[in-house]
Amino acid sequence: MEFKRFLKGLQGIVGEENVVHHSDDLLVFEYDGSVDRGLPEAVVFPADTQEVSQVIALAHEAGVPVVGRGSGTGLSGGAIAPPGGIQVAFTRMNRILEVDTENRLALVEPGVINLDLDTHARKSGLRYAPDPSSQKACSLGGNIAENAGGPHCLAYGTTTNHVLGLEVVLEDGKVVNLGSLARETVGYDLRGVFTGSEGTFGLATKIAVRLLPVPEAVRTFLGIFPDVETACTAVSAVIEHGIVPAALEMIDALTIQAVQKVNDAGYPDDAGAVLLIELEGLQDEVDEIGEEVEAALWETGATQVRTAEAAEEREQLWVGRKGALGALGSIAPNYYLVDGVVPRTQLAQVLGQVTEVGRKYNIPIANVFHAGDGNLHPCLLFDERQPGALEKIVEAGAEVMRICVDAGGTLTGEHGVGLEKKEQMPLVFSEDDMAAMVLVRDAFAPDNSLNPGKIFPDGEKHTPHAHPASPGMTI
Amino acid sequence: MESSLGDRLEQLLGGSAVLPVDGYEVDGLTPQAVVRPADRLQVSEVLRWASVERVSVLPRGGGTRTGLGNVPRTADVVLDLGRLDRLLDYQPADMTATVEAGVTLASLQEQLASGREFVPLEAALPSRSTVGGILSVGTGGPLSHAYGLPREWLIGIGVLSPSGVATKAGGKVVKNVTGYDLNKLYTGSLGTLGVIVEASFKLLPIDPHSGTLLASFPSIAASLSAGRKLLHSQAAPMGFHSISTGVSRRLQDSVQAASQDLGLGDEETALSFAFFSGRAKATRRRMEEAAALLLAEGANAVQRIENSAAKGMLRWITDAPSEISPSSALVIKVSVQSKSAARTSAECGDILISGEKPDQMADPGFGSIRLFWPRLPDEQTGSADNEQPVLDAVQQTRQIANRYGGSAVVEYCPLPVKRQIDVWGDAPDSLAVMRNIKDRFDPSGILNPGRFLGGI
Ligand SMILES: Cc1cc2nc3c(=O)[nH]c(=O)nc-3n(C[C@H](O)[C@H](O)[C@H](O)COP(=O)(O)OP(=O)(O)OC[C@H]3O[C@@H](n4cnc5c(N)ncnc54)[C@H](O)[C@@H]3O)c2cc1C
């Protein structure tokens, strides 16, 4: 099919105003939050499942690859259009269809913003637990595709532990339901394997997720430590007490400096690490366990410990952590965030090795991470205007990933493989392991026309492009 | 032919790996051979051989749930994984552990207890139930409301494909999105896609204190409505279960003794269990508030039990379905949205087989209701006269489950009935995708043929 006719077909389905195809207008869809880039041929904004189904069926017939797009905050290039492909953007499908308080679940369209769902649920004393740091901007559809995590996933699990059912459109336009509103269903757990499939199995058009009750009490602890190693011993001490906090986050000295420059979070200038711990539960639990946490922080060498229970005061303690990535813009024009995971006990040692990488490549590295999960986020700081800077950064990033794998960890804890890490997949998985994964993709999408070219290595060199350190969001 | 598969397996692995077939029947089918490999290399050899010869293979852990699933199309070789029983790696400070699939749940929990941790898997008969079997079945137990299903705790898996090729997915870290999450695919696939040989889990610390509230109610309906109120309160337990009289009549002595003051005499009386654990003070407060709430919501009486006795109750409830099933005419597990549990229980409670109502074990938090129709003493198993009422009850239960958007799995029924139904119920609209997966993973269809949904 000739492209013009294809375009007409798309316009016929969603209306002319809902197809973007002029090259100037397409530029904003060339990026997501990653260091990759790819111009789509067109971006389509469907209004409902039926339109999605028709668009995909038409593209399939025309042999045009399709990639879904939520909010474009992805950090592994997941939403980057494949060559000759179109994007299906879910911006218009952003309704919260139902919050069922009796059943503690919500039914939403994929374009709903993560934080909007949580805010809405809280009106009924419920909440949506997975809270990526990008929650003000990212969509539930994108969260499903990446199996997003967040600070509170330590206690409550990541997105996959909260998805009940999905309505998805397959590559030929067929609509199927995976999972259900009940907790248990029969047959293979397709909603489980769909979650985290990075948009390659189908496009989710309706999403049912579990909501949890808001706890009676929440207490946040902020510990200031002389250095990251000491803060890591505090993490181990807390775990050793048989405590699984709701959240356990850390930022290092360079991040602290950046945060202080942008927005005084009250951290001392010479602080080497800030540890944030949050406890939730009955007041009695928070009191009893809180005492143990506080003692553990002092015993392991905290120089200051602050606690808060009232919502606004807790918010104040979180300010530095939540604004950390945005603040990095104050010390370097660009950052490249690596998303490695290691066993919790390896954290201190691996962070030491990461520092070595920074020294070797002469790159400043700021660390902001989910310490409780062993999920590190070294941010490699650079200036893309310097020739060769980006290539150097990507090389150093690959080295960090290798360090994580060697320490018994893996390439990505929450951001996905996408384009970014696909050539590194053989560090973790054998040909046979990947072949089994591809069998599942073939079962969902035999023609591999949804988000092709992602996740699995194909020998193509990763050619990154920089993006600014403050992605225009207040995260 | 009879002995030839066994002979060939002996040639392949040596005589000690091949066992007599007695006691290994599956749904009335006697396998031609039973093989018990020493390690995963031998498992792989068996599979490679079987896939070339197109010999059907039925993987087996502790054999506690071999009755689950449709009657297999063929049952050539039973593959007993019991010798793969090592704990491979346990790091208490990481709160993760990696085990071989044949390790029993009891032995695993015992080893993890040395690090004051446990894996939140639940299964009946834990000293026989293996990790591989629990994952393949994929279901939970009385604490599913709090812990969810085995899928929530599995972080990595090692599988042998039907042709014996070793593959893995996930890893040993608690958070991981590297590659597709095949952990989810294998969990609950009833051994139809590959043979699980290794699994890694995330763990939880053992709670220092646990307690159970036992409460009697005038009816199961009353107990379920009180249970829902409790589950929606700050005093919510980890799990809540109500059982009808027929089930409470089988209470083991210790539970019986604990419940003697609850007035369980009446036919309609239901007994409820609310399970708590955590720090001592908070647990006591929860139990106090919960007891008050249950009384206010119509409980006849409430009894409080703590620590080891409380754990005994949990054990009893977890084991009860497998204890009761063999003496039942039909056992169905209905899964619905939690808000529909009470209505489902009420409607299913009116379905009769030979004039008898089902006994029930209902979990209004997770939304699951097990129905046990008693087997009449004079009943001739397998006689055609007795099949129709059972088939009718299956049909009626399914209609109710469907109406509430749920499912109804036949867990136990006479063989002649089983041969006529799909125990998993009606196929969802995604069955075609499931078939695609099975065809690609197991093109010659040798693993557990026909046992899964839609004849997969
Ligand atoms: C500052 C910052 C902080 C972040 N913090 C976190 C964090 O703490 N935890 C975390 O997990 N991530 C984090 N992220 C990454 C990102 O926000 C998440 O991956 C998020 O889930 C992406 O959502 P999105 O709507 O932006 O998806 P997009 O970037 O638009 O798309 C991501 C992928 O989802 C696919 N997709 C989108 N919609 C659908 C659909 N309906 N059906 C099928 N596939 C679809 C796309 O094709 C693509 O492959 C962060 C990002 C930034 C920029």
Side-chain angles (χ1 to χ4, degrees):
Chain A
M1 204 184 309
E2 165 200 4
F3 191 75
K4 265 212 179 114
R5 251 183 60 211
F6 173 62
L7 209 57
K8 272 258 166 332
L10 294 176
Q11 289 169 333
I13 297 165
V14 297
E16 235 169 276
E17 66 285 10
N18 292 313
V19 180
V20 168
H21 59 94
H22 292 299
S23 46
D24 288 355
D25 303 335
L26 286 173
L27 278 179
V28 286
F29 299 100
E30 191 182 18
Y31 294 91
D32 61 0
S34 72
V35 292
D36 290 284
R37 190 194 281 204
L39 201 63
E41 299 293 326
V43 183
V44 189
F45 296 83
D48 55 30
T49 305
Q50 205 190 341
E51 288 187 5
V52 175
S53 158
Q54 288 172 354
V55 165
I56 295 196
L58 185 70
H60 190 240
E61 206 184 299
V64 173
V66 173
V67 51
R69 185 181 180 92
S71 306
T73 69
L75 291 172
S76 56
I80 301 300
I86 60 164
Q87 284 179 349
V88 172
F90 290 99
T91 328
R92 292 171 70 212
M93 293 174 64
N94 63 350
R95 287 175 306 160
I96 296 174
L97 301 171
E98 191 187 355
V99 167
D100 180 347
T101 53
E102 261 300 290
N103 229 10
R104 290 186 172 159
L105 62 84
L107 190 61
V108 302
E109 291 185 328
V112 168
I113 302 304
N114 176 297
L115 186 62
D116 291 348
L117 171 60
D118 185 57
T119 308
H120 193 88
R122 280 179 193 265
K123 288 182 202 152
S124 326
L126 298 172
R127 60 136 158 213
Y128 180 60
D131 55 346
S133 309
S134 51
Q135 68 175 162
K136 283 183 188 166
C138 65
S139 73
L140 265 296
N143 291 171
I144 299 287
E146 305 290 4
N147 185 15
H152 289 84
C153 293
L154 176 58
Y156 301 105
T158 57
T159 301
T160 192
N161 302 110
H162 300 268
V163 182
L164 289 167
L166 298 168
E167 175 191 83
V168 310
V169 178
L170 302 178
E171 71 175 356
D172 59 358
K174 198 164 167 253
V175 181
V176 296
N177 290 283
L178 317 178
S180 77
L181 299 185
R183 290 286 297 274
E184 204 161 21
T185 47
V186 294
Y188 297 137
D189 182 5
L190 297 184
R191 54 96 207 230
V193 75
F194 186 97
T195 305
S197 64
E198 304 194 18
T200 59
F201 288 2
L203 294 185
T205 45
K206 278 199 194 85
I207 298 166
V209 289
R210 289 201 298 138
L211 301 175
L212 300 180
V214 173
E216 181 181 87
V218 183
R219 189 181 298 171
T220 308
F221 301 78
L222 185 148
I224 309 274
F225 285 85
D227 51 51
V228 166
E229 291 84 73
T230 320
C232 284
T233 49
V235 172
S236 303
V238 168
I239 302 275
E240 237 157 67
H241 272 83
I243 299 168
V244 181
L248 214 171
E249 302 278 306
M250 206 188 296
I251 60 178
D252 73 352
L254 190 53
T255 315
I256 293 169
Q257 286 165 26
V259 167
Q260 286 299 100
K261 261 193 199 167
V262 174
N263 180 358
D264 185 2
Y267 303 152
D269 288 339
D270 58 349
V274 168
L275 189 62
L276 268 164
I277 299 181
E278 197 151 273
L279 296 179
E280 299 185 343
L282 285 190
Q283 188 68 53
D284 313 57
E285 272 157 341
V286 167
D287 288 344
E288 183 180 342
I289 301 172
E291 274 175 32
E292 294 171 24
V293 167
E294 211 172 321
L297 294 181
W298 286 121
E299 274 162 31
T300 47
T303 54
Q304 271 188 44
V305 177
R306 299 177 206 158
T307 66
E309 242 178 74
E312 314 82 73
E313 289 172 40
R314 286 194 294 106
E315 221 23 67
Q316 206 47 46
L317 297 186
W318 273 99
V319 152
R321 166 64 184 93
K322 289 196 172 161
L325 286 180
L328 294 179
S330 69
I331 50 176
N334 308 91
Y335 68 76
Y336 174 56
L337 193 163
V338 187
D339 175 38
V341 197
V342 296
R344 258 180 286 256
T345 45
Q346 305 294 312
L347 266 177
Q349 181 227 321
V350 166
L351 286 168
Q353 286 175 275
V354 169
T355 309
E356 281 305 311
V357 172
R359 251 183 231 132
K360 173 172 155 196
Y361 287 85
N362 194 20
I363 297 168
I365 298 182
N367 287 289
V368 183
F369 58 104
H370 310 299
D373 294 317
N375 187 186
L376 26 144
H377 285 346
C379 296
L380 282 51
L381 303 176
F382 66 108
D383 182 347
E384 65 165 328
R385 291 162 303 191
Q386 284 173 1
L390 193 54
E391 286 70 19
K392 191 171 85 171
I393 286 293
V394 168
E395 210 182 304
E399 202 155 316
V400 171
M401 286 181 223
R402 194 184 306 265
I403 290 169
C404 293
V405 173
D406 288 345
T410 194
L411 300 174
T412 169
E414 51 181 26
H415 298 163
V417 177
L419 288 170
E420 185 202 11
K421 307 171 197 92
K422 63 177 184 169
E423 297 306 328
Q424 265 93 32
M425 281 285 275
L427 289 179
V428 184
F429 293 118
S430 70
E431 291 285 331
D432 290 331
D433 300 339
M434 288 187 277
M437 292 179 186
V438 170
L439 288 182
V440 186
R441 187 189 68 198
D442 288 347
F444 274 93
D447 294 325
N448 187 21
S449 63
L450 298 177
N451 216 0
K454 308 284 170 78
I455 306 174
F456 300 102
D458 51 17
E460 269 175 42
K461 197 171 145 26
H462 186 211
T463 45
H465 304 266
H467 74 100
S470 316
M473 294 177 259
T474 44
I475 305 170
Chain B
M1 187 69 204
E2 269 292 294
S3 63
S4 74
L5 284 187
D7 289 348
R8 279 143 77 192
L9 282 165
E10 275 187 27
Q11 283 163 18
L12 200 64
L13 304 186
S16 64
V18 179
L19 306 183
V21 296
D22 313 327
Y24 281 92
E25 293 79 14
V26 177
D27 284 341
L29 301 176
T30 305
Q32 295 184 42
V34 175
V35 61
R36 191 172 155 92
D39 54 31
R40 70 178 82 178
L41 214 65
Q42 289 199 340
V43 178
S44 167
E45 274 178 60
V46 171
L47 288 169
R48 199 163 349 127
W49 164 79
S51 63
V52 171
E53 304 280 322
R54 304 218 161 203
V55 166
S56 62
V57 175
L58 280 60
R60 173 185 164 116
T64 65
R65 307 280 320 252
T66 41
L68 185 68
N70 294 320
V71 180
R73 274 194 289 274
T74 58
D76 297 333
V77 173
V78 166
L79 175 62
D80 184 329
L81 296 157
R83 286 183 69 187
L84 276 66
D85 61 354
R86 285 176 309 157
L87 174 66
L88 298 172
D89 186 18
Y90 172 37
Q91 302 296 336
D94 288 329
M95 291 170 77
T96 57
T98 300
V99 298
E100 288 186 319
V103 71
T104 65
L105 183 59
S107 134
L108 175 59
Q109 302 291 35
E110 201 181 297
Q111 297 178 74
L112 299 178
S114 69
R116 285 179 292 149
E117 290 168 351
F118 75 109
V119 56
L121 302 179
E122 302 179 89
L125 315 177
S127 53
R128 280 176 56 204
S129 236
T130 63
V131 162
I134 293 166
L135 289 175
S136 297
V137 171
T139 56
L143 303 182
S144 299
H145 173 68
Y147 294 141
L149 300 172
R151 76 192 287 280
E152 321 321 327
W153 303 98
L154 181 71
I155 55 174
I157 197 162
V159 175
L160 296 177
S161 79
S163 52
V165 177
T167 65
K168 65 180 179 302
K172 287 184 173 187
V173 284
V174 298
K175 206 168 163 197
N176 190 347
V177 295
T178 317
Y180 298 139
D181 187 359
L182 302 194
N183 292 313
K184 300 288 185 294
L185 184 66
Y186 293 118
T187 306
S189 66
L190 207 76
T192 57
L193 297 176
V195 175
I196 301 173
V197 288
E198 183 179 312
S200 297
F201 295 99
K202 58 176 176 177
L203 311 174
L204 286 180
I206 293 175
D207 282 325
H209 194 84
S210 52
T212 302
L213 286 182
L214 274 181
S216 66
F217 283 88
S219 67
I220 196 145
S223 75
L224 292 178
S225 112
R228 273 197 69 69
K229 288 246 167 62
L230 178 59
L231 288 160
H232 278 235
S233 75
Q234 287 290 355
M238 311 283 287
F240 185 91
H241 267 252
S242 296
I243 62 176
S244 59
T245 337
V247 179
S248 55
R249 243 185 256 125
R250 302 156 179 266
L251 293 176
Q252 71 189 37
D253 293 347
S254 63
V255 188
Q256 192 83 56
S259 58
Q260 67 183 0
D261 301 330
L262 293 174
L264 293 177
D266 185 8
E267 264 308 295
E268 293 296 310
T269 314
L271 184 63
S272 293
F273 296 73
F275 301 106
F276 300 83
S277 69
R279 296 301 178 105
K281 194 170 161 217
T283 306
R284 294 216 173 90
R285 185 189 134 195
R286 273 204 182 89
M287 288 176 72
E288 239 161 66
E289 288 179 13
L293 187 147
L294 292 176
L295 285 169
E297 292 297 326
N300 298 330
V302 178
Q303 175 94 15
R304 186 181 318 180
I305 293 133
E306 295 190 47
N307 285 329
S308 72
K311 286 193 185 133
M313 308 253 150
L314 181 58
R315 185 72 269 147
W316 184 81
I317 282 276
T318 313
D319 287 344
S322 57
E323 304 273 333
I324 301 172
S325 294
S327 56
S328 304
L330 172 68
V331 180
I332 300 185
K333 185 173 81 176
V334 183
S335 301
V336 290
Q337 301 178 46
S338 60
K339 70 175 175 190
S340 314
R343 267 170 294 161
T344 307
S345 151
E347 290 178 34
C348 292
D350 287 336
I351 299 172
L352 307 178
I353 296 181
S354 315
E356 292 283 331
K357 288 183 173 186
D359 288 316
Q360 300 198 20
M361 297 183 74
D363 175 347
F366 194 66
S368 84
I369 300 117
R370 269 205 178 82
L371 305 156
F372 305 84
W373 281 269
R375 183 147 71 206
L376 301 176
D378 57 340
E379 208 168 335
Q380 301 287 313
T381 26
S383 97
D385 293 352
N386 287 323
E387 287 167 27
Q388 203 50 48
V390 175
L391 285 166
D392 290 346
V394 170
Q395 193 55 32
Q396 290 168 44
T397 310
R398 291 228 159 111
Q399 278 166 4
I400 294 167
N402 288 346
R403 193 153 67 239
Y404 291 115
S407 57
V409 174
V410 174
E411 291 190 324
Y412 191 90
C413 69
L415 259 179
V417 172
K418 206 176 188 187
R419 292 198 186 98
Q420 297 176 52
I421 59 170
D422 186 325
V423 301
W424 306 100
D426 303 329
D429 62 4
S430 55
L431 183 65
V433 179
M434 295 184 194
R435 286 226 163 94
N436 282 345
I437 292 177
K438 169 70 176 180
D439 292 345
R440 284 170 167 79
F441 273 72
D442 184 15
S444 26
I446 61 162
L447 283 182
N448 269 342
R451 296 216 85 187
F452 205 49
L453 176 72
I456 285 175

